[in-house]
């Protein structure tokens, strides 16, 4: 049974990340958090495109890239599903790109690592 699209995906229209990239990252996060498990059927390209008001080619591109990566597999007559034997990325690996961007920005601002780590610890504590 396919997952409900509205509960599964959302897009940030103001984001600098392309929509297909946002969808890819969301599928990665959902599999890492075991919200999506091997064998789970994803909503159809058409359903996702309608729910998010995006071009179906955008959704298709995201699904195809995830299939190439081995995270999704195509089942004839069923659609796209989370690949069996899929080893999802660890949760910390999903955070790595954001931290790499923040580290690059900190270096550009010539901030020392201790200051950056203290700021991160403070921000992390604020979200509790």
């Amino acid at each position: 049974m396919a997952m409900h699209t509205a509960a599964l995906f959302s897009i940030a229209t103001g984001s600098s990340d392309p929509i297909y990239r946002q969808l890819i990252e969301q599928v990665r996060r959902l599999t890492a958090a075991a919200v999506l498990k091997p064998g789970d059927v994803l909503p159809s390209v058409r359903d996702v495109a309608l729910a998010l008001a995006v071009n179906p080619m955008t959704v298709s591109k995201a699904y195809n890239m995830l299939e190439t990566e081995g995270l999704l597999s195509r089942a004839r007559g069923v659609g796209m599903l989370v690949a069996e034997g899929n080893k999802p990325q660890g949760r910390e690996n999903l955070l790595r790109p954001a931290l790499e961007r923040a580290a690059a920005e900190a270096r550009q601002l010539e901030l020392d690592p201790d200051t950056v780590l203290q700021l991160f610890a403070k921000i992390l504590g604020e979200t509790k």
Side-chain angles (χ1 to χ4, degrees):
M1 183 165 153
M3 299 270 173
H4 182 36
T5 308
L8 205 56
F9 301 122
S10 65
I11 56 168
T13 53
S15 172
S16 61
D17 286 336
I19 293 169
Y20 79 91
R21 186 66 50 207
Q22 291 180 47
L23 292 172
I24 288 170
E25 288 306 314
Q26 288 176 47
V27 171
R28 287 177 181 157
R29 280 180 169 71
L30 291 167
T31 55
V35 172
L36 288 174
K37 297 174 182 65
D40 283 350
V41 178
L42 270 69
S44 72
V45 167
R46 183 172 172 258
D47 288 348
V48 174
L50 285 171
L52 300 177
V54 298
N55 187 318
M57 293 302 293
T58 301
V59 180
S60 182
K61 181 177 184 175
Y63 278 11
N64 287 336
M65 291 179 84
L66 287 162
E67 182 181 20
T68 300
E69 177 178 309
L71 194 60
L72 300 181
S73 63
R74 194 176 308 267
R76 191 176 187 132
V78 176
M80 295 300 277
L81 46 98
V82 178
E84 293 292 336
N86 169 46
K87 291 187 169 96
Q89 294 181 352
R91 291 180 188 192
E92 55 281 343
N93 286 338
L94 294 170
L95 186 59
R96 187 176 188 85
L99 292 176
E100 286 172 348
R101 286 190 299 274
E105 207 165 313
R107 283 190 292 275
Q108 288 174 348
L109 295 170
E110 298 179 359
L111 295 172
D112 74 278
D114 288 336
T115 302
V116 174
L117 291 173
Q118 287 172 1
L119 177 60
F120 184 64
K122 180 180 176 195
I123 291 169
L124 204 54
E126 290 172 359
T127 59
K128 287 184 179 178

